[in-house]
Amino acid sequence: TQLLEQSPQFLSIQEGENLTVYCNSSSVFSSLQWYRQEPGEGPVLLVTVVTGGEVKKLKRLTFQFGDARKDSSLHITAAQPGDTGLYLCAGAVSGTYKYIFGTGTRLKVLA
Amino acid sequence: ETGVTQSPTHLIKTRGQQVTLRCSSQSGHNTVSWYQQALGQGPQFIFQYYREEENGRGNFPPRFSGLQFPNYSSELNVNALELDDSALYLCASSLVSGSNSPLHFGNGTRLTVT
């Protein structure tokens, strides 16, 4: 069974702090996506990483795909209250049509 | 561009009943996937439909079934509801079938089974 474990599960920080969320698996994925989900809404795609070692930046968010395509990280610089939400990583399973989602990291940024 | 819409937004059913959830995919998207998200967990893949046929399924029993229509909209049917079926059911559309295609999610249907 393929699993994606995210850490930490919960994170409460002050505005302006930096943070990193980790997404780890023993399985290889053809790509990995990060989503953010707010209460009462569906997940919204932030980024897709495909190549091992790939780094993508989206304003204050930096995403990295591990060299072996088994893990990923999301780093947020100078967090803002608007970053509050549930962050989900999702690995695309090669040769299938499904994504395996991580357990999620619930982030709260206090003003 | 119209996004993914799901109906109803909330639903309460009794154990043993049947339920149908509906999803309209984003304009131009031909593939629909359904996910179950239990409270405090990440979404779990139920199945995917492409060209009106199921072309991928997760670890869900046969009482979970679906349909895709020629306009790419979709239904999720659950028979013989159990208490553990209480969850947020998410529909996601994508442009092509296969891995690496970004998923565009609706806001879900919150199902409560009592």
Side-chain angles (χ1 to χ4, degrees):
Chain A
T1 303
Q2 290 167 301
L3 292 173
L4 267 173
E5 295 187 358
Q6 286 186 237
S7 61
Q9 280 188 290
F10 301 95
L11 195 53
S12 181
I13 61 172
Q14 294 293 324
E15 182 177 4
E17 293 184 359
N18 301 332
L19 67 116
T20 301
V21 176
Y22 299 93
C23 175
N24 295 296
S25 177
S26 57
S27 302
V28 176
F29 295 101
S30 59
S31 68
L32 196 134
Q33 300 180 346
W34 284 91
Y35 292 81
R36 185 172 77 194
Q37 184 178 22
E38 302 193 31
E41 299 182 8
V44 176
L45 179 68
L46 296 174
V47 77
T48 300
V49 285
V50 180
T51 306
E54 182 177 2
V55 177
K56 277 192 176 178
K57 291 192 175 183
L58 188 68
K59 297 183 179 178
R60 294 177 294 100
L61 279 59
T62 301
F63 305 86
Q64 185 165 7
F65 201 12
D67 291 342
R69 305 208 317 272
K70 294 182 180 181
D71 54 82
S72 180
S73 64
L74 158 60
H75 182 78
I76 301 179
T77 304
Q80 299 176 0
D83 296 328
T84 294
L86 177 68
Y87 287 82
L88 295 160
C89 61
V93 180
S94 298
T96 75
Y97 306 100
K98 66 178 180 181
Y99 286 88
I100 303 294
F101 276 81
T103 48
T105 294
R106 192 165 297 280
L107 171 66
K108 186 169 186 178
V109 182
L110 305 169
Chain B
E1 184 177 84
T2 306
V4 177
T5 58
Q6 292 186 242
S7 62
T9 54
H10 296 82
L11 201 53
I12 300 175
K13 289 285 190 177
T14 303
R15 190 171 51 183
Q17 287 186 317
Q18 177 266 343
V19 69
T20 297
L21 310 181
R22 295 179 175 82
C23 171
S24 294
S25 60
Q26 182 165 319
S27 176
H29 287 185
N30 56 11
T31 301
V32 173
S33 303
W34 286 91
Y35 286 79
Q36 180 196 66
Q37 186 176 23
L39 201 60
Q41 298 183 17
Q44 300 289 315
F45 176 74
I46 303 175
F47 43 55
Q48 184 184 80
Y49 277 82
Y50 173 65
R51 291 186 174 178
E52 302 176 50
E53 292 192 2
E54 182 183 300
N55 71 345
R57 189 177 184 94
N59 294 327
F60 281 82
R63 59 189 185 84
F64 285 78
S65 63
L67 285 172
Q68 187 181 31
F69 300 99
N71 66 354
Y72 305 131
S73 66
S74 177
E75 287 183 356
L76 165 65
N77 298 289
V78 187
N79 293 322
L81 283 167
E82 300 177 359
L83 296 179
D84 285 348
D85 295 334
S86 294
L88 180 67
Y89 287 86
L90 293 164
C91 169
S93 70
S94 53
L95 191 54
V96 294
S97 176
S99 59
N100 298 346
S101 300
L103 299 173
H104 297 258
F105 284 92
N107 287 335
T109 293
R110 172 75 61 190
L111 173 65
T112 302
V113 182
T114 62

